[in-house]
Amino acid sequence: MATTALVDPDTGLTQAQLAARHGLRVAGERPTLAEYSRRLWAYRHFIAAYANAKLVASYSNAKLGQLWQVLTPLTNAAVYYLIFGVVLDQTKIPNFIAYLTTGLFIFNFTQSAILAGTQSISSNLGLIRALHFPRASLPLSTTITQFQQLLASMVVLIGIVLVTGEPITLDWLMLVPALLLQAVFNAGVVLLVARLGSKASDLKQVMPFVMRTWMYGSGVLYSVSLFERLPGWATTLVQFNPLLVYIELARYALLEQAPLLNESLTQLWLVAAGWALVAGIGGYIYFWRGEQEYGRG
């Protein structure tokens, strides 16, 4: 009787074909954007808890603790007021103290988020290599931590605005959407620099200089009317500076006579929303595309 030789069904298949045949997938494979977003939402409680823990830990070794959330921007405001308000005589701006403090607090929100976000991946390699979770949790928790610090600063800022003679008006309500748009913008930029920082560790040394230059171009320390002396194309470029836009919206909301570079409030809101949309979506997609790279090498 003739015998039939058994043929191995896997014979002649490539490794990729074998993996597909037996339902195997690449370890750490990047999920689809929709699936990644679903997983990230499932980790929302972890993100919030991690942000709170970082906020508490950041001041755990200081005797005054979280009071430094307020003391740091106030100290900066006092120094800059001495230089720009007294020495360089910018006090011709109505209520220059509130004008300066508003610019500093709003700018500091973005600056602190970006500087911390640059290291959000590179400084957590142990956690990344030990646990499996959406890596965007780390830079997003950084943004939430800075937003919590901003809320404490806003309490102090409102006190300064009131003490310096500004009345409470309905325009103050505009501060809420302005800060929310800035928070979305910050989250997108933080995701962007988090991926860049994971590839280039020296980026954290460069970012303070980038942010300092950005501050001088955002009308934080002096009247934005000075930008009107620039050539037409340069003035137009400055008008689309996202930080200048968010600062101007905050000043418009809190101060009665704040000088504005762009007199069209509608255009300010459109630019603010546009930057939040572009940075938020663009930064998220850019970070997601590098998901499988984090913690390797």
Side-chain angles (χ1 to χ4, degrees):
M1 177 181 292
T3 59
T4 302
L6 296 177
V7 178
D8 187 349
D10 294 339
T11 301
L13 296 181
T14 65
Q15 291 182 344
Q17 291 171 331
L18 282 172
R21 176 180 175 83
H22 294 284
L24 301 179
R25 303 180 67 178
V26 177
E29 182 182 27
R30 183 182 68 209
T32 63
L33 186 61
E35 174 62 19
Y36 187 72
S37 300
R38 188 193 65 78
R39 294 180 188 177
L40 190 61
W41 175 251
Y43 274 83
R44 63 190 182 278
H45 302 298
F46 164 75
I47 296 173
Y50 189 69
N52 291 332
K54 286 181 68 67
L55 179 63
V56 174
S58 61
Y59 297 102
S60 60
N61 294 326
K63 291 184 178 180
L64 296 179
Q66 297 187 31
L67 188 59
W68 282 109
Q69 295 179 48
V70 176
L71 291 178
T72 299
L74 279 179
T75 304
N76 287 333
V79 172
Y80 287 126
Y81 177 77
L82 176 63
I83 297 173
F84 289 89
V86 178
V87 178
L88 298 181
D89 191 22
Q90 287 287 320
T91 52
K92 56 181 177 292
I93 300 174
N95 198 354
F96 181 68
I97 294 177
Y99 181 89
L100 172 65
T101 309
T102 301
L104 281 173
F105 280 33
I106 298 300
F107 180 83
N108 188 67
F109 176 34
T110 296
Q111 175 177 251
S112 299
I114 291 177
L115 293 181
T118 303
Q119 305 178 62
S120 59
I121 296 297
S122 58
S123 63
N124 288 287
L125 291 179
L127 181 63
I128 290 173
R129 290 167 179 168
L131 301 174
H132 179 69
F133 61 94
R135 309 314 189 196
S137 302
L138 297 175
L140 289 179
S141 67
T142 296
T143 306
I144 294 175
T145 298
Q146 299 305 322
F147 187 74
Q148 291 173 322
Q149 292 186 342
L150 174 71
L151 295 180
S153 298
M154 286 298 102
V155 174
V156 178
L157 176 60
I158 289 174
I160 292 174
V161 168
L162 290 174
V163 168
T164 53
E166 295 292 337
I168 299 176
T169 66
L170 289 177
D171 287 339
W172 282 32
L173 296 176
M174 295 172 56
L175 187 63
V176 176
L179 293 180
L180 290 177
L181 288 174
Q182 186 185 5
V184 175
F185 170 79
N186 287 357
V189 177
V190 165
L191 288 165
L192 171 69
V193 297
R195 182 180 177 185
L196 294 175
S198 69
K199 296 179 178 181
S201 58
D202 289 339
L203 185 63
K204 65 181 181 182
Q205 309 297 336
V206 177
M207 287 310 298
F209 299 100
V210 173
M211 296 310 302
R212 192 174 306 156
T213 303
W214 202 352
M215 179 178 69
Y216 290 127
S218 301
V220 175
L221 309 173
Y222 37 76
S223 173
V224 293
S225 61
L226 294 176
F227 291 123
E228 296 174 353
R229 303 175 184 176
L230 298 174
W233 63 269
T235 303
T236 301
L237 185 64
V238 169
Q239 287 177 340
F240 285 92
N241 176 356
L243 284 185
L244 176 62
V245 170
Y246 294 124
I247 289 171
E248 286 205 288
L249 286 175
R251 285 171 172 162
Y252 182 88
L254 296 176
L255 310 178
E256 275 196 314
Q257 302 182 52
L260 296 178
L261 180 61
N262 190 329
E263 296 180 358
S264 174
L265 188 60
T266 301
Q267 183 174 336
L268 279 178
W269 281 111
L270 289 176
V271 174
W275 273 116
L277 188 65
V278 170
I281 296 177
Y284 183 64
I285 293 176
Y286 178 74
F287 185 90
W288 161 74
R289 289 180 61 85
E291 178 72 10
Q292 71 277 14
E293 304 170 0
Y294 308 127
R296 297 190 177 186

